Amino acid sequence: FSTYRLNITNNFSMNRPSNSVLPHVRSDADRYMTEGESGLHSLYLENRFSLTDNLHSRSYLGILEEMYSGIGSEFLFHMYDRRWAIGGSISSVLQRSFELDFDHLDYRVTSGFVSFYYASPFYNFDLALHAGRYLARDKGYTVEARRSFDNGFEIGAFVTRTNVSAEDFGEGSFDKGLYFRIPINSLSRANSKAAFSTRLRSINRDGGRTLDDFGSSLWFDRRSLRFDALDRTKGRMLP
């Protein structure tokens, strides 16, 4: 899988450089937008497979996203007819250079999490709790809730608290935000499973940050195959 970012125009600048006392795992985003306006966004290999009926895995290697390259794996234990699941993920990554080429900076970190998931029967809410080590080497937990609609649209919210104090975290005190997933199928006449997803934050800081789209994804990606989702739509499959 690979993507290339081509800049058309932007007004980013380095007039206000990051003042974070934590490793700059995310707060140097302006440098990536100014020194690497266009460049290789991702280039990685990924393999997904099921070890057993209940144990699923995902492995990845390469340039994973705009800011990090590395290697990692994710596992999910989920019995088909249960509303709960347990997962785990670990990634060893190296921070990319600001020019979005094949060079890297000196910052290296191993990040990992243990996760618990629950599919609530209340309005299709998926609840998740993740505990582990984040990109800035801080440790803590993230709580998230997502609601899925029958047309594929998803909306959610998340809150992360770690052992970083509010003072060291900086403005915002702790990481939190909203999650959106918009299916392409609803915007096109073609039948597609592709979707646009993003997380919106009020401010971009370094505490409580994870890799974009890596780790803690198998549970949500497998939603259409889960019993709780099929049970809701069984009426559409009956003659």
Side-chain angles (χ1 to χ4, degrees):
F1 184 83
S2 65
T3 56
Y4 184 88
R5 187 177 75 189
L6 178 63
N7 177 67
I8 299 176
T9 181
N10 73 67
N11 60 356
F12 288 93
S13 71
M14 291 303 299
N15 293 333
R16 296 182 62 188
S18 171
N19 62 354
S20 177
V21 300
L22 299 174
H24 291 189
V25 296
R26 292 298 185 191
S27 60
D28 279 338
D30 281 0
R31 295 193 63 179
Y32 285 93
M33 296 299 297
T34 54
E35 298 180 31
E37 292 182 339
S38 298
L40 189 63
H41 186 271
S42 64
L43 177 63
Y44 62 89
L45 298 174
E46 181 184 61
N47 185 31
R48 298 186 181 214
F49 58 95
S50 295
L51 299 171
T52 68
D53 291 342
N54 300 325
L55 185 59
H56 315 286
S57 70
R58 175 194 189 199
S59 300
Y60 41 87
L61 167 68
I63 299 175
L64 304 179
E65 48 143 292
E66 179 183 54
M67 298 186 186
Y68 292 94
S69 299
I71 185 172
S73 293
E74 178 185 1
F75 296 90
L76 179 74
F77 175 79
H78 175 226
M79 290 182 284
Y80 170 73
D81 58 349
R82 299 293 190 272
R83 289 188 172 271
W84 60 269
I86 297 175
S89 63
I90 186 168
S91 302
S92 179
V93 297
L94 186 63
Q95 191 168 10
R96 298 180 63 194
S97 67
F98 303 115
E99 292 78 13
L100 296 185
D101 51 23
F102 291 98
D103 292 333
H104 292 82
L105 305 178
D106 293 331
Y107 187 75
R108 183 189 299 270
V109 62
T110 297
S111 176
F113 298 91
V114 174
S115 304
F116 177 80
Y117 305 94
Y118 179 69
S120 168
F122 180 73
Y123 288 108
N124 286 347
F125 272 103
D126 280 309
L127 307 177
L129 172 65
H130 316 287
R133 190 181 194 226
Y134 296 82
L135 289 177
R137 300 193 178 100
D138 48 337
K139 299 177 182 178
Y141 63 90
T142 298
V143 178
E144 63 176 322
R146 297 187 193 180
R147 183 182 179 186
S148 300
F149 296 85
D150 291 339
N151 63 0
F153 182 83
E154 295 179 12
I155 186 172
F158 61 91
V159 173
T160 299
R161 300 304 299 263
T162 72
N163 56 354
V164 173
S165 67
E167 181 181 3
D168 286 343
F169 183 93
E171 184 179 356
S173 300
F174 58 92
D175 190 48
K176 63 272 192 184
L178 301 175
Y179 172 85
F180 295 93
R181 180 183 183 275
I182 303 173
I184 303 300
N185 197 46
S186 63
L187 306 176
S188 171
R189 293 182 178 180
N191 187 13
S192 172
K193 293 183 178 181
F196 169 77
S197 60
T198 187
R199 291 175 181 263
L200 298 181
R201 291 174 167 86
S202 58
I203 191 166
N204 197 35
R205 304 297 291 181
D206 296 310
R209 301 303 297 268
T210 62
L211 291 172
D212 289 339
D213 301 323
F214 289 93
S216 307
S217 65
L218 283 176
W219 170 256
F220 299 104
D221 291 348
R222 291 178 53 82
R223 188 178 190 283
S224 61
L225 304 175
R226 287 167 17 202
F227 176 80
D228 59 283
L230 295 173
D231 186 56
R232 289 193 67 262
T233 58
K234 63 183 179 182
R236 298 167 56 185
M237 297 182 283
L238 297 176

